[in-house]
Each structure stands twice: as structure tokens, then as C-alpha cells.
């Protein structure tokens, strides 16, 4: 019974990237990218007993109270689930590349700029060889010394973490899970993804002169339209921040069809 196995490493003070991944995979039993419901209770119970076993102080109080306090502290977007980004804050990870990443890509606009730099062939994916450059750049920025084998391990681990369909490529929505939860504007579009036909129709409507790109004001109108079509509330502050993030993909204020397609389509362009 896999469920009965002792989860690895919860008592350790420091974890390596692959140990972190083992813990994640152990508790995210259904592999949906979250620890929730029964998985979450199991995780919290194991965490408590591991802390006791390691001689750490644990608070008195009922399981439900402790669990509630734990969720208030770590469930940053208050959706009642823990995602990988949130779990990284619970477990001190030795390499901590998730947290390292967040520190240096603080906003979704910066993230989109980084994406633009490394998705060199504009495929809507970063491939394994592009990912390596991405991480190498990141580690240099963070002044973290690393050697080639370490960089290789990071690349492989991030692929294991985020390449959910195992094709050796990372789509924008997969990579965006590295962003701080509250900064991940792409999650907001998750329920509103368009098919290629829908996308082409809406883009053509806003690209009045058929130039193949739209500007910031047209993007504004397009996003409002998209929100109304999906009957979702959109405040001005959010709209401004989403527009800024998406416009990070633009060239000299021109947002080309292919770049917007990466954000709004359910499948990136082939």
C-alpha cells in the first residue's frame, strides 16, 4: 500500500530539490498540482509528527484549530488548497530555486519579459535547452555559485516538477506556476481559454487595420470584452496589471497575434 509508506524527509531541517519533489509527489496523491482535502490532512498530520519526532515545539490545541492556523499562514490565495509554490514556504529547501526564482521575478510583467527572452523561437514553450539558459541566468542574478552538474540537476528537477505531460517542454501556464501565487495573472485566464477559431475572431475584430498586431488600448478593450463574455468581475486595478503583464510580450508597443495567442489559447500555437 503506497498510502501507508512513511513520507520521506519531513523531519529534516534542510531539503534538496529532489527530496522536496518526493514529498510533493507523496502527498499530491491524485497528481492534480494541489494538496487538498484528505491529502492535506495527511500532510499536516505527518508534518506535526515529524516535528515532534525532531524535538520541535508544536502548539497545543485541537487538530482542527492547528490546521486552520496552518492554512491561514500558508494558503496565500485562500483557496483551501496548498499548491507547490505555497508548500515551498512550509519546507525549508536547500536549493530553494522556487523561492530564489520568486525573489528575482517579483512581478508577472518581469516574468513575461524573461519568458520572451527564452522562448526564442516564439513557440509558446521553453524547451529543455532553453530552460537551462533561463536557470543559469537566474542563478547568476542571484549571485549563487553553481557548477554544470548542479545546473543540470536544477533543469531536470524543474522539468519533473512542471512538465506535467512529459514532452520535455514547458508551456507558459506550466512555467507560470513558478510565480508567487498572487502574481500569477495567468491563473485568472485559466477558465477563459479560447480555441484557435475564437481567438482569431476576437483578434481580427480588434486588429481593425489588419496589421497583425494590436496596441495597448486595443488590448484593454479586448480583455474587458473577454471578461464580460465570461461574466467575470474585473476591476480597473487588475485590468491595468494584466495589461502591463501581457504587454511585456510586445515589441515597441505592438502586440503580435502569436504572442497574445500564447496567453489566451488553450493550446499554444504550433
Amino acid at each position: 500500500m503506497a498510502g501507508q509508506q512513511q513520507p520521506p524527509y519531513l523531519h529534516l531541517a534542510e531539503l534538496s530539490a529532489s527530496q522536496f519533489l518526493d514529498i510533493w509527489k507523496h502527498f499530491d496523491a491524485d497528481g492534480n498540482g494541489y494538496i487538498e482535502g484528505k491529502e492535506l490532512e495527511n500532510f499536516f498530520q505527518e508534518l506535526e509528527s515529524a516535528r515532534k519526532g525532531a524535538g520541535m515545539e508544536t502548539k497545543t490545541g485541537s487538530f482542527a484549530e492547528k490546521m486552520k492556523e496552518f492554512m491561514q499562514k500558508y494558503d496565500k490565495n485562500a483557496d483551501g488548497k496548498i499548491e507547490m509554490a505555497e508548500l515551498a514556504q512550509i519546507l525549508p529547501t536547500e536549493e530553494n530555486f522556487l523561492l530564489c526564482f520568486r525573489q528575482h521575478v517579483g512581478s508577472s510583467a518581469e516574468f513575461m519579459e524573461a519568458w520572451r527572452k527564452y522562448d526564442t523561437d516564439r513557440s509558446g514553450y521553453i524547451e529543455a535547452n532553453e530552460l537551462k539558459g533561463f536557470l543559469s541566468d537566474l542563478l547568476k542574478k542571484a549571485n549563487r555559485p553553481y557548477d554544470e552538474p548542479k545546473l543540470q540537476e536544477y533543469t531536470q528537477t524543474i522539468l519533473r516538477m512542471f512538465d506535467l505531460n512529459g514532452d520535455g517542454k514547458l508551456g507558459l501556464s506550466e512555467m507560470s506556476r513558478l510565480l508567487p501565487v498572487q502574481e500569477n495573472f495567468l491563473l485568472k485566464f485559466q477558465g477563459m481559454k479560447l480555441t484557435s477559431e475564437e481567438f482569431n475572431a476576437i483578434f481580427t475584430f480588434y486588429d481593425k487595420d489588419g496589421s497583425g498586431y494590436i496596441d495597448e488600448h486595443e488590448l484593454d478593450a479586448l480583455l474587458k470584452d473577454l471578461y464580460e463574455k465570461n461574466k467575470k468581475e474585473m476591476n480597473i486595478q487588475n485590468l491595468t496589471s494584466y495589461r502591463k503583464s501581457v504587454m511585456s510580450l510586445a515589441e515597441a508597443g505592438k502586440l503580435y497575434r502569436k504572442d497574445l495567442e500564447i496567453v489566451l489559447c488553450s493550446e499554444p500555437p504550433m
Side-chain angles (χ1 to χ4, degrees):
M1 274 282 286
Q4 298 307 308
Q5 283 173 8
Q6 198 45 28
Y9 319 116
L10 270 182
H11 61 288
L12 296 185
E14 287 288 332
L15 293 164
S16 73
S18 33
Q19 288 169 337
F20 174 86
L21 198 59
D22 286 344
I23 289 174
W24 178 262
K25 293 212 158 143
H26 180 89
F27 287 102
D28 179 17
D30 58 4
N32 70 346
Y34 296 98
I35 297 179
E36 58 194 324
K38 193 70 191 149
E39 299 168 341
L40 192 52
E41 283 178 32
N42 292 343
F43 172 72
F44 186 66
Q45 261 170 334
E46 294 293 353
L47 189 62
E48 282 285 284
S49 61
R51 282 173 169 167
K52 278 184 194 146
M56 288 168 73
E57 285 292 309
T58 61
K59 293 186 175 164
T60 51
S62 74
F63 181 78
E65 282 165 9
K66 287 200 260 190
M67 181 91 176
K68 189 178 169 194
E69 193 182 328
F70 171 83
M71 289 304 282
Q72 279 169 344
K73 189 171 175 188
Y74 292 109
D75 180 18
K76 297 291 183 209
N77 59 353
D79 61 357
K81 306 185 273 199
I82 294 284
E83 46 207 273
M84 194 180 281
E86 292 166 333
L87 184 63
Q89 298 166 51
I90 299 169
L91 301 167
T93 56
E94 176 191 290
E95 283 90 341
N96 239 331
F97 49 72
L98 276 176
L99 300 183
C100 164
F101 194 101
R102 293 213 167 77
Q103 218 175 316
H104 294 279
V105 185
S107 72
S108 51
E110 285 172 41
F111 175 84
M112 296 300 269
E113 278 164 31
W115 176 267
R116 193 167 190 285
K117 181 179 170 188
Y118 285 95
D119 178 16
T120 45
D121 50 6
R122 315 308 269 159
S123 63
Y125 294 99
I126 286 184
E127 285 159 51
N129 58 340
E130 294 167 325
L131 176 63
K132 203 168 164 185
F134 193 48
L135 295 175
S136 153
D137 213 39
L138 183 65
L139 292 163
K140 281 180 194 144
K141 262 196 202 173
N143 291 322
R144 289 189 173 225
Y146 66 90
D147 53 17
E148 188 56 33
K150 202 70 181 158
L151 184 62
Q152 197 55 44
E153 191 206 329
Y154 286 164
T155 308
Q156 289 313 314
T157 305
I158 284 197
L159 273 171
R160 275 178 66 206
M161 276 172 140
F162 295 109
D163 178 18
L164 299 179
N165 60 359
D167 62 359
K169 303 176 191 176
L170 293 167
L172 184 58
S173 57
E174 292 168 323
M175 269 308 261
S176 73
R177 290 164 61 199
L178 286 169
L179 272 168
V181 175
Q182 59 275 34
E183 270 292 335
N184 193 346
F185 79 102
L186 287 154
L187 287 174
K188 311 286 188 294
F189 292 121
Q190 215 67 64
M192 307 193 291
K193 292 289 191 183
L194 304 169
T195 64
S196 295
E197 291 74 26
E198 289 169 329
F199 173 77
N200 285 330
I202 200 168
F203 191 90
T204 305
F205 179 79
Y206 285 100
D207 176 20
K208 301 270 191 256
D209 58 0
S211 59
Y213 63 83
I214 58 174
D215 64 21
E216 201 160 343
H217 302 297
E218 291 163 332
L219 175 63
D220 215 16
L222 187 153
L223 291 177
K224 280 182 188 151
D225 209 25
L226 195 57
Y227 261 74
E228 279 163 24
K229 178 176 170 270
N230 284 276
K231 299 184 171 50
K232 294 201 183 229
E233 289 296 309
M234 162 70 97
N235 67 39
I236 289 301
Q237 201 180 350
N238 283 354
L239 185 67
T240 308
S241 116
Y242 297 166
R243 186 183 67 226
K244 189 179 168 206
S245 300
V246 177
M247 283 307 288
S248 306
L249 291 171
E251 281 175 48
K254 299 172 179 177
L255 184 66
Y256 286 91
R257 181 186 290 262
K258 200 169 178 184
D259 293 323
L260 186 58
E261 197 173 355
I262 291 168
V263 176
L264 294 183
C265 276
S266 39
E267 286 298 320
M270 293 316 282

